[in-house]
């Protein structure tokens, strides 16, 4: 068949399978391959999903495979990782996840894979940079989920606050996917009107403090979910489907993925969440917003944290 869209998922855990389940329900591709170090788990997950194919909106070939299956894939989504051991530092965890990625990226490259890498494993900005370094691919073809989900949560909350469809709220969470992420309010719009102007002209109905509270809620959301149910996976699974669709359908959509900066925002080499135009080429362009000096300082601080974490790693 012509133009068969093939996606390989590496890491069939909670996040990976939430992605796979949404992918099947949304008929994202024609072929979905599941790979996990636990082969039996990948096989069981493929069987389980296959039993639902009859009820899905499109047909999809789902099977457990191996790295050779990446040779003709369009996108490889990486959700594999190990979790933090008690008493383990963030850097030690990073080091172990880097070893996991070394065991994954090498065989994928060896298969002759010529598509796009999309990374969800945390800390996502660092693991995406590790993927870039290990793969030797052009940076446009290696990117991470970044602040895509945070941005979606923010737009939803702002939509509620202003009683406006979230699709008409244009605001971004940028920087590290983590504690130092922030919202550049000077660039947040309701349609084409600045939310700062709306606050100023609202006679006290809307205010920056309340919007800031909403963005703090976004930043702390994952932690709250983890406290309640130990892990987060549905939201990120659906974000992954959204991003892969932008690639497979050559959409030129603006998404705040984790991209390698090459001078944009005055930063180089670091991977961070920024609005990007995503299409068949991966990150086709990074959109550079006009930040205020205070916002630029926050962005620089966030990138400094990411750089410091990466530089502590042994690749
Ligand atoms: P999980 O433990 O359920 O799944 C991880 C899977 O990776 C397991 O099935 C495991 O067998 C597999 N794996 C481990 N080592 C492997 C290797 N060497 N090769 C192949 N597979 C291997 O964890 P999860 O809840 O699915 O989370 C996965 C990752 O996603 C974590 O790093 C988590 O922090 C991250 N995450 C990211 C976001 C985001 O916004 N980017 C959100 C939630 C979770």
């Amino acid at each position: 068949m012509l133009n068969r869209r093939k996606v390989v998922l590496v890491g069939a855990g909670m996040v990976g399978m939430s992605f796979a389940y949404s992918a099947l329900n949304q008929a994202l591709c024609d072929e979905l391959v599941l790979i996990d170090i636990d082969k039996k788990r990948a096989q069981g997950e493929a069987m389980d999903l296959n039993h639902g194919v009859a009820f899905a909106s499109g047909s999809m070939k789902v099977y457990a495979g191996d790295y050779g299956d990446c040779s003709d894939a369009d996108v490889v989504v990486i959700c594999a990782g190990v979790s933090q051991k008690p008493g383990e530092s963030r850097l030690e965890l990073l080091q172990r996840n880097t070893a996991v990625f070394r065991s994954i990226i090498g065989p994928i490259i060896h298969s002759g894979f010529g598509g796009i890498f999309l990374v969800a494993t945390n800390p996502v900005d660092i693991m995406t940079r590790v993927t870039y370094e290990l793969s030797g691919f052009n940076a446009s073809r290696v990117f991470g989920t970044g602040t895509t989900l945070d941005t979606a949560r923010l737009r939803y909350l702002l939509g509620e606050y202003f009683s406006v469809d979230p699709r008409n709220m244009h605001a971004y969470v940028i920087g590290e996917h983590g504690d130092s992420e922030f919202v550049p309010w000077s660039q947040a719009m309701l349609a084409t009107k600045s939310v700062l102007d709306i606050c100023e002209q609202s006679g006290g109905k809307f205010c920056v403090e309340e919007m800031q509270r909403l963005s703090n809620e976004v930043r702390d959301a994952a932690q709250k979910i983890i406290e309640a149910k130990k892990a987060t996976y549905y939201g990120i699974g659906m974000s992954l489907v959204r991003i892969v669709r932008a690639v497979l359908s050559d959409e030129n959509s603006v998404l705040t993925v984790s991209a390698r900066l090459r001078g944009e925002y005055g930063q180089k080499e670091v991977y961070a969440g920024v609005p990007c135009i995503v299409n068949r080429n991966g990150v086709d362009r990074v959109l550079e917003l006009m930040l205020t000096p205070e916002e630029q300082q926050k962005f620089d601080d966030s990138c400094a944290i990411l750089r410091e974490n990466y530089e502590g790693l042994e690749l």
Side-chain angles (χ1 to χ4, degrees):
M1 191 198 281
L2 286 177
N3 296 327
R4 272 188 81 78
R5 298 159 302 167
K6 181 174 180 180
V7 176
V8 175
L9 165 68
V10 183
M14 295 310 292
V15 171
M17 289 316 299
S18 299
F19 161 69
Y21 182 64
S22 313
L24 177 59
N25 276 302
Q26 297 187 38
L28 177 70
C29 52
D30 302 292
E31 204 169 329
L32 178 63
V33 186
L34 311 182
I35 299 179
D36 198 285
I37 195 165
D38 182 348
K39 284 194 174 150
K40 212 168 164 190
R41 175 171 193 167
Q43 281 162 356
E45 292 289 6
M47 277 178 75
D48 200 0
L49 274 189
N50 269 319
H51 293 163
V53 169
F55 309 114
S57 55
S59 70
M60 193 189 286
K61 193 173 162 193
V62 185
Y63 58 97
D66 51 43
Y67 290 111
D69 291 305
C70 297
S71 63
D72 59 347
D74 298 296
V75 182
V76 168
V77 174
I78 306 182
C79 301
V82 285
S83 48
Q84 205 153 3
K85 289 181 185 165
E88 188 177 46
S89 74
R90 198 179 151 88
L91 195 60
E92 283 164 339
L93 173 69
L94 251 175
Q95 199 63 61
R96 281 202 300 133
N97 266 333
T98 301
V100 166
F101 270 44
R102 200 174 295 112
S103 76
I104 292 170
I105 310 295
I108 293 176
I109 302 301
H110 188 72
S111 76
F113 174 60
I116 281 161
F117 279 109
L118 174 58
V119 179
T121 306
N122 271 327
V124 69
D125 305 287
I126 313 271
M127 295 317 298
T128 309
R129 187 167 174 188
V130 166
T131 305
Y132 165 78
E133 294 292 347
L134 293 176
S135 67
F137 272 28
N138 187 295
S140 61
R141 285 165 54 207
V142 183
F143 60 104
T145 48
T147 45
T148 307
L149 180 56
D150 315 68
T151 294
R153 282 179 181 143
L154 176 75
R155 293 176 69 194
Y156 166 75
L157 290 176
L158 287 176
E160 292 268 290
Y161 184 52
F162 289 107
S163 300
V164 166
D165 186 331
R167 289 173 296 186
N168 298 118
M169 294 303 318
H170 303 286
Y172 302 107
V173 178
I174 64 171
E176 172 199 17
H177 169 61
D179 291 344
S180 68
E181 68 183 36
F182 71 101
V183 181
W185 291 115
S186 71
Q187 300 300 306
M189 308 285 157
L190 188 165
T192 58
K193 192 170 167 93
S194 157
V195 292
L196 294 179
D197 290 347
I198 293 175
C199 287
E200 207 176 290
Q201 294 158 10
S202 73
K205 186 171 179 213
F206 300 114
C207 63
V208 179
E209 291 71 27
E210 191 54 25
M211 291 197 302
Q212 192 54 44
R213 195 188 62 73
L214 296 178
S215 73
N216 292 346
E217 212 175 285
V218 167
R219 187 197 57 206
D220 301 336
Q223 211 43 53
K224 236 175 155 176
I225 297 171
I226 289 168
E227 271 167 35
K229 53 172 275 190
K230 296 196 173 68
T232 74
Y233 32 88
Y234 299 131
I236 186 64
M238 293 178 77
S239 304
L240 282 164
V241 171
R242 174 70 195 89
I243 300 167
V244 174
R245 167 160 293 124
V247 173
L248 295 177
S249 304
D250 200 19
E251 280 184 6
N252 289 312
S253 288
V254 176
L255 295 162
T256 42
V257 292
S258 185
R260 185 171 166 90
L261 298 176
R262 289 175 276 198
E264 300 92 347
Y265 298 92
Q267 294 288 339
K268 271 192 185 142
E269 292 168 359
V270 74
Y271 266 87
V274 282
C276 295
I277 295 172
V278 178
N279 64 18
R280 199 77 183 86
N281 304 321
V283 169
D284 196 70
R285 281 158 285 165
V286 170
L287 268 185
E288 213 170 344
L289 304 175
M290 288 290 291
L291 302 182
T292 64
E294 298 83 61
E295 290 164 351
Q296 181 64 47
Q297 187 59 53
K298 281 188 188 170
F299 191 76
D300 291 346
D301 293 346
S302 193
C303 289
I305 291 170
L306 290 170
R307 192 170 282 117
E308 205 175 296
N309 273 302
Y310 178 82
E311 281 165 5
L313 270 183
E314 274 174 41
L315 263 198

